[in-house]
Amino acid sequence: GKDTFANLLVVKIKERFRYKENSPVSIIGQPYSKFKYGIESKSFVENLDTKYGKERIIEYLTKNRIESEKYINSLGGLVICIRGALTDIATFNYAFNENTNNTFGLCSNIKYIDKLIIIDIDENEANDRIKNRNIKRTWREHLPQLKYFRDFYLKYNSNHVKEKII
């Protein structure tokens, strides 16, 4: 799962870049539920819950993103966002069948994103791995959605992102 991946990632980053064991590396899942509209934003992203309507979802995602970035600025060191702004944008586009340029407050409190790292895998291989877990799939874990999100992430470009690595 995400927690196992996150812990392994921190260990490997510290090894690769020769960080000290106590060097600050923070991993944050987003939307962040402890901030304003976090529960509503998370419900939308995780469950494709559109009951609040398009305009309110824009408000919720934006206010949550702004608060998240204030928090990220306070951390220092390396900060890794799992299921971050791109997932918000891609989910919104998927849910409302539009290609919005709305960034939901992305980089409103930070200068830019230093590195956007996309960990890529073929959607068919991902589908097979998910199938072999023998647990209930989330809405994003079906083949059409795996393909949609993969394509979205690989094609995404923004002037808020300094460097994109796949």
Side-chain angles (χ1 to χ4, degrees):
K2 289 186 292 285
D3 292 338
T4 302
F5 171 75
N7 291 327
L8 177 65
L9 185 60
V10 168
V11 168
K12 294 300 179 185
I13 285 171
K14 287 183 177 184
E15 285 175 8
R16 169 69 175 88
F17 297 104
R18 298 187 182 130
Y19 285 0
K20 295 177 183 169
E21 184 59 35
N22 62 349
S23 294
V25 176
S26 302
I27 298 186
I28 299 172
Q30 293 182 322
Y32 204 30
S33 57
K34 84 175 196 176
F35 296 131
K36 191 170 189 174
Y37 301 119
I39 301 297
E40 296 87 348
S41 296
K42 209 168 184 177
S43 179
F44 170 68
V45 170
E46 290 184 355
N47 304 317
L48 201 59
D49 182 356
T50 59
K51 71 181 174 204
Y52 302 109
K54 184 174 160 180
E55 296 307 315
R56 282 227 167 118
I57 289 171
I58 290 171
E59 175 187 0
Y60 298 161
L61 291 173
T62 301
K63 288 186 177 176
N64 188 262
R65 169 84 26 225
I66 289 169
E67 290 300 311
S68 290
E69 288 187 4
K70 284 180 188 174
Y71 177 65
I72 288 168
N73 277 341
S74 74
L75 292 173
L78 178 65
V79 180
I80 299 169
C81 298
I82 304 286
R83 201 184 59 220
L86 257 62
T87 302
D88 293 358
I89 297 166
T91 303
F92 185 87
N93 289 350
Y94 181 87
F96 296 105
N97 196 28
E98 66 178 69
N99 189 11
T100 183
N101 291 325
N102 194 330
T103 59
F104 307 111
L106 177 67
C107 294
S108 57
N109 290 305
I110 57 176
K111 209 172 192 180
Y112 48 80
I113 296 170
D114 291 316
K115 292 190 188 306
L116 170 62
I117 301 172
I118 307 292
I119 300 172
D120 183 39
I121 184 171
D122 176 78
E123 61 268 9
N124 292 304
E125 186 176 338
N127 187 53
D128 290 343
R129 288 183 182 185
I130 292 165
K131 182 178 162 185
N132 291 333
R133 290 186 321 199
N134 283 331
I135 60 174
K136 187 178 181 209
R137 293 177 185 237
T138 68
W139 74 271
R140 283 192 307 267
E141 294 177 330
H142 297 277
L143 192 56
Q145 289 77 17
L146 290 170
K147 180 168 179 29
Y148 166 81
F149 280 96
R150 180 177 189 227
D151 290 345
F152 183 90
Y153 295 149
L154 293 177
K155 291 175 185 171
Y156 183 81
N157 286 305
S158 169
N159 59 358
H160 295 295
V161 176
K162 198 171 181 184
E163 180 181 4
K164 180 178 173 182
I165 301 168
I166 299 173

